[in-house]
Amino acid sequence: MAEKEKIVVQTSVKDESLIEIRRRQIVSGAVNLFKEKGFHRATTREIAKAAGFSIGTLYEYIRTKEDVLYLLCDYIYDQVKQQLAEITSETGTVEELKEAIKQYFHLIDRMVDEFTIMYQETKSLSKEAMHYVFDKELEMVHLFEKIIKNTSLPENQLLTEKEIFLAANHIVVQGQAWAFRKWAFRKRYTIEDYINDQTKLFLSGIFHLHENR
């Protein structure tokens, strides 16, 4: 699956490193603002203030409020990709799969607001932008598909393509559930407890799947 080409957010600034810094400030400020007021009620002037610069400066880096959600979507995916890229898959051990799950869940724990806002506000996007978010979601799933495919399992426990796709979706969704339902989970779970139990249930499902075929 090829990566979806990024939607280009127009800018009048030429310095790529400065663009990255300023847009990270915009995303960070907007996340706090959207959490407080919601996407529709927040104004671009308020986003500029939350990011720490003038409305004129803001418009040097984005053109519309929707652009901020594009940037947030790209930032989340890039963080997931970077986190998982640090995990070797050369030996294909179950321990590597467990480490990938752990790193992904920890990333969500650090970015609860970002994940929650992105999915809450997807409905505010245009149809094109909404498909872009969904495609990025599938790219996250694809990262785990590759890790699962590289995991060495006994021959009688090998997964079909459909099962691998479902398993990868399970990891992505259960990780996101920590963001959406942390209010309920935190009464009984630390993030480490959540990771341990989710991983145990996930691996148990994979290793016993063949018994029900």
Side-chain angles (χ1 to χ4, degrees):
M1 174 181 167
E3 280 193 26
K4 181 76 172 178
E5 184 179 350
K6 286 189 177 184
I7 291 177
V8 178
V9 176
Q10 297 298 319
T11 176
S12 58
V13 179
K14 304 301 182 185
D15 186 334
E16 291 293 333
S17 61
L18 184 58
I19 291 172
E20 184 176 349
I21 292 170
R22 291 288 183 259
R23 285 183 168 172
R24 181 66 193 104
Q25 288 176 290
I26 291 170
V27 168
S28 180
V31 163
N32 293 328
L33 185 62
F34 295 162
K35 182 181 177 183
E36 177 187 346
K37 300 189 66 172
F39 177 80
H40 283 297
R41 292 178 58 205
T43 67
T44 51
R45 190 171 297 277
E46 288 172 326
I47 293 173
K49 183 178 179 181
F53 36 74
S54 69
I55 186 69
T57 301
L58 179 74
Y59 281 124
E60 292 179 1
Y61 296 94
I62 65 166
R63 291 294 179 266
T64 68
K65 190 166 63 170
E66 191 174 81
D67 284 346
V68 179
L69 288 182
Y70 282 131
L71 296 177
L72 174 59
C73 175
D74 281 335
Y75 176 70
I76 287 175
Y77 173 71
D78 288 343
Q79 289 296 304
V80 172
K81 185 177 180 182
Q82 179 179 328
Q83 193 81 31
L84 296 183
E86 296 174 0
I87 300 169
T88 177
S89 59
E90 293 178 359
T91 58
T93 65
V94 173
E95 289 305 312
E96 287 169 358
L97 175 57
K98 290 166 67 174
E99 182 64 20
I101 295 172
K102 178 179 178 180
Q103 292 297 327
Y104 173 62
F105 281 28
H106 272 301
L107 177 64
I108 289 179
D109 187 48
R110 295 195 299 272
M111 298 177 64
V112 164
D113 290 341
E114 285 88 341
F115 273 92
T116 302
I117 287 168
M118 185 175 76
Y119 290 108
Q120 282 179 341
E121 301 301 344
T122 296
K123 61 183 181 295
S124 303
L125 295 170
S126 66
K127 187 172 292 186
E128 179 190 19
M130 195 179 295
H131 284 304
Y132 184 70
V133 173
F134 293 157
D135 286 335
K136 284 294 181 183
E137 172 92 358
L138 287 175
E139 284 174 24
M140 284 192 278
V141 170
H142 184 57
L143 291 174
F144 278 104
E145 282 186 281
K146 289 172 64 178
I147 293 172
I148 294 169
K149 284 180 180 178
N150 287 335
T151 301
S152 298
L153 296 173
E155 187 154 346
N156 65 343
Q157 292 175 341
L158 294 179
L159 304 179
T160 65
E161 290 290 326
K162 285 174 62 177
E163 289 165 349
I164 290 171
F165 176 70
L166 188 60
N169 272 276
H170 178 89
I171 295 171
V172 170
V173 171
Q174 292 307 315
Q176 292 167 357
W178 177 254
F180 305 144
R181 295 191 58 80
K182 190 176 179 180
W183 60 271
F185 290 136
R186 66 184 177 187
K187 296 175 182 178
R188 298 190 180 188
Y189 283 93
T190 64
I191 182 60
E192 292 296 342
D193 291 336
Y194 184 78
I195 291 169
N196 290 337
D197 282 358
Q198 285 287 5
T199 303
K200 180 171 65 177
L201 289 170
F202 174 76
L203 293 177
S204 175
I206 284 182
F207 291 142
H208 292 92
L209 184 62
H210 70 288
E211 296 177 358
N212 298 317
R213 286 178 175 167

